[in-house]
Amino acid sequence: MKKWEHKVILGYGIGDKHIIAWEEELNRHGADGWELVSVIVRPEVPSEEGPQELPHSPVPRTVVFLKREAQQ
């Protein structure tokens, strides 16, 4: 029976520069054997949950779920 490792990556924003950064990060994880399982975009995140540099502006939150076979 296979065993899996899981990873969750949280991000904020969905603009062009954020998308480019996501592509680079996902490529790095892919090279380490991680497989994309799912992506969730929450349209507005309450300010208390958002990044500190934007304390009064709700911004979208992106959540990425990854998995890879556990390394023995």
Side-chain angles (χ1 to χ4, degrees):
M1 180 175 185
K2 289 186 180 182
K3 294 193 179 204
W4 299 95
E5 294 180 82
H6 296 88
K7 181 180 286 215
V8 177
I9 304 170
L10 299 176
Y12 297 94
I14 53 173
D16 290 344
K17 70 178 182 176
H18 290 101
I19 298 300
I20 291 168
W22 274 111
E23 180 181 6
E24 293 169 357
E25 184 167 1
L26 290 173
N27 283 334
R28 282 193 306 275
H29 288 298
D32 288 337
W34 291 98
E35 177 183 335
L36 180 65
V37 176
S38 182
V39 177
I40 298 171
V41 177
R42 183 175 171 193
E44 289 189 4
V45 176
S47 59
E48 64 271 6
E49 295 179 29
Q52 296 301 317
E53 62 271 11
L54 300 171
H56 301 295
S57 301
V59 294
R61 172 182 281 164
T62 306
V63 183
V64 175
F65 299 91
L66 304 168
K67 74 172 186 178
R68 72 177 175 187
E69 192 169 345
Q71 316 237 319
Q72 305 284 327

